[in-house]
Amino acid sequence: MDKKKMTLAELQGKKDRGEKITMITAYDYPSARLVDEVGMDMILVGDSLGMVVLGYDSTVPVTMEEMIHHCKAVSRAVTAGFIVGDMPFLSYQASVDRAIENAGRFIKEAACDAVKLEGGSDMAPVVEAIVKAGIPVCAHIGLTPQTATMLSGFKVQGKNAESARAQVKSAKDLEEAGAFMIVMECIPDLVAARITDGLRIPTIGIGAGNHCDGQVLVYHDLVGLFERFTPKFVKQYVNLSPLIKEALLQYKIEVEKSIFPTKEHAFSMTPEEAAKI
Ligand code: KIV
């Protein structure tokens, strides 16, 4: 039996009832199916796919076409989870019209339920315009990887009082602009807790402590499929890379030694038919 589709009202209800919201990234059909099967509330098709799937050095080069391609694969797999498509760098900053058009593509072409975009108070007018066009927006504050150069690198944000106040103000402005949720990346837990308690809408943390209304992690980090680096906030629940490498090596050896395939993996024909060849 199909599970019930997650809705905005149910996500808000979870915050109101003090229940945690679960979110994980997924970028393709098989991973999205697994995520949906365990009943994850939300699936983020993050632009982190640029690094963990496409091998870029950062999320900056990711294009709209790449995002739409992966979002389509995810939405074909998901029956219940709420799908958020991540707007890539420069798909929403150049003009409000471009932002609405690109946000619309995630909904119309890729069957996402909402979009996410990075940025603080400055992005509030863009959020407002997209929401007015009828598209739910999840905001993303704190460490915003698309503009990490402007932040002088991948650093925790809001560590001193002034910068913490700026994060609190951003969160308030984005809520006022109509965002239905705010992802907070790499913010001290105390600041994240202050923001969470001060907002009506849910917060989702990644490196923002345990007081957020929910948590998100990158799929490949959680299952040990991204070996280039592991941020401090990641908990690796299983390390699949060595297991997969072991299986691949075993296959290679068995082919080289003519151990695979056996009769079990081959197709036979009757001796009568064989004689006619
Ligand atoms: O792209 C992504 O995966 C993200 C999460 C880290 C929140 O934005």
Side-chain angles (χ1 to χ4, degrees), residues 56 85 113 115 124 148 188 198 206 212 257:
Y56 296 142
D113 299 303
V115 296
I206 175 159
C212 305
K257 294 192 170 167

Side-chain angles (χ1 to χ4, degrees), residues 48 58 109 113 123 130 157 159 179 206 217 248 255 268:
S48 49
S58 76
E109 292 175 38
D113 299 303
M123 278 299 144
I130 298 175
Q157 301 297 303
K159 277 186 97 167
I206 175 159
L217 279 179
L248 293 172
V255 170
S268 59

